[in-house]
Amino acid sequence: MSKPFLILCVLFTLFLTSYAQSCASHKFPSNQLFSSCNDLPHLNSSLHWNYDQSSKTVKIAYRHTGDLSSRWVAWAVNPTGQGMVGAQALVAFQRSDGSMRAYTSPITSYQTQLQEGDLSFPVSDLTATYSRDEIVIFATLKLDNVSSTLNQVWQDGPVSGDVPAMHQLTGSSVQSMGTLNLLSGVTETTKGALNSNIKKKNIHGLLNAISWGILLPVGAVFARYLKVFPSADPAWFYLHATCQTSAYVIGVAGVATGIRLGNKSPGIQYTAHRIIGIVIFCLATLQVTALLLRPKRDHKYRFYWNVYHHVIGYSVIVLSIVNIFKGFDILNPEEMWKRIYVGILIGLAFVVAILEVYTWIVVVKRNKSESRSNEKMSNGTYGYDGYDGYATRRQGIV
């Protein structure tokens, strides 16, 4: 009898402990009561709310626990989709003077600094408290154009000089989003969709970095320097064309993934990145077409074709590198990847510098050799027409 009784006591103790730690057991000051609550799955957070379906009004209390003396916390509703961009956020943190600041912030890009601004729906009674390592945000939201199932996002991050800074980009910080049904209280995370979206963004960035950012400059190096070597004369054009065509094909795949991402992310636009990408794609198409329409060397228009081909080619390379760095700012990957790409560019520049010096040495030697040969032909050792000054051919010279 003692063993079953002991097991029951342990189970009862565990139940009381879990209940004490759940949102249902929390008591708010000033006798504030909330009919529903949910322990959010990440970042030590919970949400309490009262929802009036007839007036489309929800009164919320968002709790976030931990050492938050120099950190900001936020809870947001995204009326346009899942994820961070498009979210309408309630933000709170403790200022350096100890007072609390609570405000609204519409998030329009991944580079946001959580600037204060009006949301797409009315917010009233916005306040925040901080005590016992817990920040609580109170607010009333009027969700006229939002269904009872919300896309919610919650987050925290450091504060520097009373200004919110970037949150972490790994672990729970990129998983703290999901859906919330205000009527049933059911919360579901969107981890699978998030991971799929991140994977597509990484594929888009990788394809474009390899094609426009690496293969295209390498093809230009082949075109400019390999023809200096006489033994490589037939091969340099094919290497150049192969690199340029491969860059174009892979780049088209990268552009296609970017278009799909854009179609699945309405309201998210990176105007400069998109415009530069369109310009690169159009110029690259002209460049690949130009390889098929190249005049012969002795053609009278070959000079103009060369000028056109070089101007378009170098323009595409410069624009591609600029746009890749804009892509780094958008995707915000680990710093290691940006350093790797910068290292590749530095290595390529080093090779170009060496080949440029070698090319000029070859050109100078070739010019000297040609000038000496011309001197021998015009003011030859043998006088005029191979005869010495006495009009007799010198003998015995091989």
Side-chain angles (χ1 to χ4, degrees):
M1 291 294 294
S2 60
K3 287 184 178 180
F5 180 75
L6 180 61
I7 293 173
L8 287 174
C9 289
V10 171
L11 292 176
F12 184 71
T13 303
L14 291 174
F15 170 78
L16 291 178
T17 302
S18 62
Y19 178 79
Q21 293 176 348
S22 69
C23 63
S25 65
H26 186 77
K27 303 296 183 183
F28 288 96
S30 304
N31 294 321
Q32 296 188 69
L33 299 176
F34 293 90
S35 59
S36 303
C37 74
N38 208 312
D39 290 308
L40 301 177
H42 304 288
L43 299 178
N44 299 321
S45 303
S46 61
L47 183 70
H48 303 248
W49 71 92
N50 293 323
Y51 181 51
D52 187 343
Q53 189 175 8
S54 60
S55 64
K56 292 281 188 176
T57 301
V58 57
K59 183 178 180 181
I60 66 101
Y62 170 69
R63 297 169 49 228
H64 197 113
T65 60
D67 184 7
L68 303 170
S69 57
S70 58
R71 297 184 69 81
W72 57 266
V73 303
W75 180 83
V77 173
N78 192 333
T80 60
Q82 297 175 343
M84 172 178 168
V85 177
Q88 309 294 299
L90 311 176
V91 186
F93 62 88
Q94 187 180 47
R95 294 189 181 96
S96 55
D97 61 4
S99 62
M100 291 297 296
R101 184 187 179 196
Y103 64 95
T104 57
S105 176
I107 300 174
T108 57
S109 72
Y110 289 105
Q111 286 74 45
T112 182
Q113 292 184 327
L114 295 178
Q115 297 90 341
E116 185 171 359
D118 294 332
L119 303 187
S120 61
F121 47 80
V123 178
S124 59
D125 304 325
L126 178 59
T127 59
T129 62
Y130 179 44
S131 64
R132 297 180 180 178
D133 292 332
E134 181 179 81
I135 290 180
V136 184
I137 300 176
F138 298 96
T140 301
L141 315 179
K142 189 75 165 62
L143 304 175
D144 289 325
N145 299 317
V146 181
S147 69
S148 59
T149 299
L150 307 178
N151 295 312
Q152 64 172 341
V153 185
W154 62 100
Q155 194 58 261
D156 69 357
V159 175
S160 177
D162 286 347
V163 176
M166 176 67 73
H167 64 77
Q168 291 184 354
L169 300 174
T170 58
S172 296
S173 294
V174 295
Q175 300 172 0
S176 53
M177 62 183 69
T179 60
L180 169 66
N181 189 305
L182 295 173
L183 297 176
S184 66
V186 174
T187 297
E188 294 182 357
T189 61
T190 56
K191 181 179 178 181
L194 175 64
N195 289 342
S196 177
N197 202 32
I198 291 175
K199 183 178 179 179
K200 290 176 182 177
K201 289 180 179 180
N202 291 338
I203 291 174
H204 168 69
L206 183 63
L207 290 175
N208 284 285
I210 292 174
S211 57
W212 308 119
I214 298 176
L215 286 178
L216 204 65
V218 169
V221 171
F222 285 146
R224 176 167 175 77
Y225 298 109
L226 277 187
K227 55 186 176 182
V228 175
F229 301 92
S231 60
D233 189 49
W236 74 266
F237 172 76
Y238 298 105
L239 288 171
H240 166 62
T242 300
C243 279
Q244 303 299 80
T245 306
S246 300
Y248 181 75
V249 172
I250 298 174
V252 168
V255 171
T257 58
I259 292 173
R260 291 195 197 97
L261 284 170
N263 292 337
K264 291 184 177 181
S265 305
I268 304 174
Q269 294 186 2
Y270 302 99
T271 305
H273 184 67
R274 182 180 59 182
I275 291 175
I276 295 174
I278 292 172
V279 172
I280 291 171
F281 177 74
C282 294
L283 293 179
T285 302
L286 289 175
Q287 194 76 331
V288 172
T289 306
L291 292 174
L292 303 176
L293 303 175
R294 185 178 63 148
K296 294 182 179 180
R297 288 188 177 183
D298 56 351
H299 197 281
K300 62 179 181 179
Y301 292 121
R302 179 60 181 262
F303 170 77
Y304 302 104
W305 184 91
N306 286 338
V307 173
Y308 153 81
H309 191 61
H310 282 78
V311 170
I312 297 296
Y314 288 122
S315 299
V316 171
I317 290 173
V318 172
L319 288 173
S320 298
I321 293 174
V322 170
N323 216 29
I324 284 168
F325 280 105
K326 284 188 174 293
F328 277 124
D329 294 335
I330 293 170
L331 290 176
N332 201 11
E334 293 183 13
E335 191 68 20
M336 173 189 69
W337 296 108
K338 184 183 288 188
R339 290 176 182 173
I340 289 175
Y341 182 65
V342 171
I344 291 173
L345 292 181
I346 292 173
L348 194 59
F350 181 72
V351 171
V352 167
I354 294 175
L355 290 175
E356 188 70 24
V357 171
Y358 178 79
T359 300
W360 278 104
I361 292 173
V362 171
V363 169
V364 169
K365 286 184 177 180
R366 187 178 296 168
N367 289 340
K368 286 183 178 180
S369 176
E370 289 178 356
S371 63
R372 288 174 184 171
S373 177
N374 290 335
E375 282 183 14
K376 287 183 180 180
M377 293 297 296
S378 59
N379 304 316
T381 307
Y382 312 125
Y384 298 101
D385 296 324
Y387 291 87
D388 60 18
Y390 297 98
T392 58
R393 185 180 292 273
R394 298 180 63 182
Q395 304 294 324
I397 298 178
V398 178

